[in-house]
Amino acid sequence: MNTKIEFITIVGRANAGKSSLLNVLTGEKIAAVSSKPQTTRTRITGIVTREETQYVFMDTPGVHKARTKLGEHMNKAVKDSVTDVDLILMVMDVTKKIGENELNIIKSFRKNDNVILILNKIDLVKNKEEIALKIAEFIPLYDFKAVIPISVLERDGVDIVWEEVEKYAVEGPHYFPDDKFTDQPERVLAGEIIREKILNLMNEEIPHGIAVTIEKMEERVNKNDEDILDISAVLYCERESHKGMIIGKGGAMLKKIGQLAREDLESFFEIKVNLQCWVKVKEDWRNKEGLIRNFGLSNNSTNM
């Protein structure tokens, strides 16, 4: 059997649903999902192997106006990801107006790029004529191979996305084992699960100034002969005042973060988890290249 391969980049504005789409397409929770923008900080790879074809999806940070060095790295990750791929999925929140971010993304496409426009969140549109109007706005901007209205939340239209994606596979070897669903190390996945809980529990600004590193991740057998996964995580924030908020009164917030993260970690790794979290301060780390690299958030660094 001749094998096929396809590299697909997912791009779009922050909070358009790119990570949710990646998770649905792969059938695995490999990207943090939050209603807050800039949830995804680095390029995350999801892998799906169907019979002879392997699909390699790359989720990218949401394009935004960079206000920190970390933001610059995030936007560069998007720009680098749209070159030398077989297909680009541009995800747009159908309830939002076409803005500068979308126009800049389209400008980054080359004339010969295969691009499919995904209009997400159609479940939020009561008057379906608005979807047709949005499509009409996009058509003059680029020669899209297809325009697909979907709702990732309701899994509506995802099968159509797959039908279109399958058309762009080319003959070639599989770059990953057929049972692999991501190239992310387990420590990175664990850190993202914890960071997702912080994003969902805390207010707008603090979560964006938080990085999570996994200091220890080891399996052991306890006295009851149960398999236990010990995970030690450090939550880095930018200010002493933020540290107090993350810990919360009497440690309540940190306990809540740990509880929700542990539940997801146990479900993901299918083992009982002993999670320990500590909070440390690294002043203004998002503007310090060395710390950005140490946290695995630079284009030239290895993730955590």
Side-chain angles (χ1 to χ4, degrees), residues 48-68:
V48 179
T49 302
R50 290 183 165 186
E51 298 179 348
E52 78 278 7
T53 305
Q54 185 168 86
Y55 304 90
V56 183
F57 294 94
M58 291 168 285
D59 180 24
T60 59
V63 173
H64 62 289
K65 186 175 182 179
R67 294 183 172 86
T68 63

Side-chain angles (χ1 to χ4, degrees), residues 49 54 68 96 108 152 161 168 216 219 227 257 292 299:
T49 302
Q54 185 168 86
T68 63
K96 305 293 185 183
S108 71
V152 174
V161 175
Y168 298 91
K216 184 180 81 169
E219 285 190 42
D227 291 327
I257 292 168
I292 291 172
N299 294 305

Side-chain angles (χ1 to χ4, degrees), residues 183-201:
D183 67 344
Q184 299 291 296
E186 289 185 341
R187 289 188 178 219
V188 172
L189 294 170
E192 285 296 278
I193 287 172
I194 297 168
R195 190 170 67 90
E196 180 186 68
K197 306 313 169 193
I198 302 168
L199 283 163
N200 290 330
L201 287 171

Side-chain angles (χ1 to χ4, degrees), residues 9-127:
T9 289
I10 305 174
V11 299
R13 182 196 295 193
N15 204 30
K18 302 182 302 300
S19 296
S20 296
L21 179 61
L22 175 69
N23 291 339
V24 168
L25 290 171
T26 60
E28 298 285 350
K29 180 70 174 293
I30 58 176
V33 176
S34 168
S35 60
K36 296 180 174 65
Q38 301 171 41
T39 299
T40 301
R41 286 174 169 169
T42 59
R43 187 173 66 186
I44 296 175
T45 302
I47 304 153
V48 179
T49 302
R50 290 183 165 186
E51 298 179 348
E52 78 278 7
T53 305
Q54 185 168 86
Y55 304 90
V56 183
F57 294 94
M58 291 168 285
D59 180 24
T60 59
V63 173
H64 62 289
K65 186 175 182 179
R67 294 183 172 86
T68 63
K69 288 187 180 296
L70 175 60
E72 293 172 4
H73 278 284
M74 291 163 65
N75 282 341
K76 186 177 186 301
V78 179
K79 185 177 180 180
D80 293 345
S81 295
V82 297
T83 59
D84 299 323
V85 294
D86 301 300
L87 180 65
I88 299 169
L89 300 180
M90 179 177 174
V91 182
M92 168 76 183
D93 181 343
V94 73
T95 68
K96 305 293 185 183
K97 294 181 179 180
I98 300 173
E100 183 180 353
N101 288 332
E102 284 77 24
L103 295 177
N104 286 337
I105 291 170
I106 291 172
K107 287 178 183 177
S108 71
F109 299 153
R110 298 168 301 182
K111 288 184 178 180
N112 61 341
D113 284 336
N114 297 319
V115 184
I116 293 175
L117 177 63
I118 308 291
L119 295 178
N120 188 29
K121 305 187 182 182
I122 60 172
D123 52 296
L124 300 179
V125 180
K126 293 181 179 179
N127 183 357

Side-chain angles (χ1 to χ4, degrees), residues 216-244:
K216 184 180 81 169
M217 195 168 177
E218 298 176 353
E219 285 190 42
R220 62 180 169 87
V221 178
N222 68 8
K223 60 183 179 180
N224 297 321
D225 203 32
E226 296 176 310
D227 291 327
I228 304 291
L229 179 61
D230 289 322
I231 299 178
S232 297
V234 178
L235 285 52
Y236 289 98
C237 58
E238 292 184 302
R239 301 177 188 173
E240 283 290 342
S241 60
H242 290 177
K243 179 179 178 179

